Amino acid sequence: MTLQPSLRPLMVAGRPDAPNTLDIFLDFVCPYSAKMARTIDTLVKPKFSPGGEYDGKVKLLFRLQVQPWHSASTLTHEAALAVARVSPENFWKFSLALFEHQDEYFDIPTSHLTPLQIREKLAKLAATIIPADKVEQFKDLLALKSSPNGGVAVTDDLKYNIKYARQNGIHVSPTCLWDGLVANEISSGWGEKEWSEFLKNKIAI
């Protein structure tokens, strides 16, 4: 229910002092995660935003759930973390763009691309979302370090997300936590009715 300072943009709705927390673990190359992200954006997020039904009651945290059996999963998540650094106000917008373009990062479409080529492709997508003067900073954050196995500038942020998921026993996406406990009843197939009933039962007005 907390975030290290560099990951504050992962709170995509609500107020930091809200008494309830909804964590959503999503993978950018998971079709079910994409479905839930769209629902969260259109049906759930507005309820926690200023003027919403549960404004001040719930904060919504997006937890990046890297699934290594998808070869490009790590690279897409690194890109999102880079956007969180250089243009935090556009983190959620870029995340939605990744979900909309996720089929371009599936295993077969990326099988003939090198990691550097995939990162360049991600930079082109980021350039459609973030300010033009931030694109080079974005690319710099995804440039490999001088150490042969040192990762990139956002590797530590990536590790934080992975470690957080591991210590909470999160294995698949999407997975949701309500106030720190896994809410197995939440499904990517939920619509307005299911979400409204869930929140009504969980939140004391």
Side-chain angles (χ1 to χ4, degrees):
M1 291 184 285
T2 59
L3 288 169
Q4 66 181 32
S6 64
L7 295 176
R8 285 174 183 162
L10 273 62
M11 190 186 79
V12 297
R15 304 179 188 180
D17 60 349
N20 300 113
T21 304
L22 175 63
D23 295 86
I24 54 171
F25 290 77
L26 305 176
D27 174 20
F28 289 119
V29 291
C30 167
Y32 296 104
S33 290
K35 185 176 182 180
M36 178 169 280
R38 296 183 190 105
T39 301
I40 291 292
D41 187 59
T42 58
L43 299 180
V44 181
K45 187 171 175 281
K47 296 178 184 294
F48 308 153
S49 299
E53 184 179 359
Y54 299 115
D55 180 14
K57 299 287 186 178
V58 186
K59 55 183 174 290
L60 175 62
L61 304 183
F62 179 9
R63 304 289 188 175
L64 305 188
Q65 177 69 359
V66 177
Q67 298 188 128
W69 47 87
H70 297 308
S71 58
S73 182
T74 294
L75 300 177
T76 57
H77 286 82
E78 286 177 343
L81 290 168
V83 169
R85 289 280 193 95
V86 304
S87 186
E89 70 280 6
N90 285 308
F91 169 76
W92 180 245
K93 185 177 180 180
F94 179 69
S95 296
L96 292 175
L98 278 174
F99 284 122
E100 289 303 315
H101 291 266
Q102 70 172 196
D103 58 343
E104 299 175 27
Y105 301 95
F106 286 170
D107 294 344
I108 292 178
T110 58
S111 62
H112 66 288
L113 301 176
T114 68
L116 292 179
Q117 289 173 322
I118 296 172
R119 285 191 172 110
E120 185 59 35
K121 186 178 179 68
L122 287 162
K124 290 179 181 178
L125 180 61
T128 68
I129 303 294
I130 66 176
D133 62 351
K134 299 292 185 180
V135 175
E136 286 306 313
Q137 295 178 46
F138 170 90
K139 290 181 178 181
D140 287 343
L141 289 175
L142 298 184
L144 293 169
K145 296 178 180 178
S146 57
S147 169
N149 204 30
V152 298
V154 296
T155 295
D156 285 344
D157 287 346
L158 187 72
K159 288 180 178 179
Y160 176 94
N161 279 275
I162 293 171
K163 291 175 181 178
Y164 187 86
R166 286 177 177 174
Q167 78 170 14
N168 284 284
I170 308 301
H171 300 290
V172 297
S173 66
T175 297
C176 296
L177 307 185
W178 180 263
D179 289 344
L181 297 180
V182 174
N184 283 317
E185 66 270 36
I186 296 178
S187 166
S188 61
W190 275 17
E192 174 68 31
K193 178 177 181 293
E194 292 84 0
W195 274 109
S196 293
E197 289 180 354
F198 175 84
L199 294 171
K200 182 179 180 180
N201 290 331
K202 292 290 186 180
I203 302 171
I205 302 299

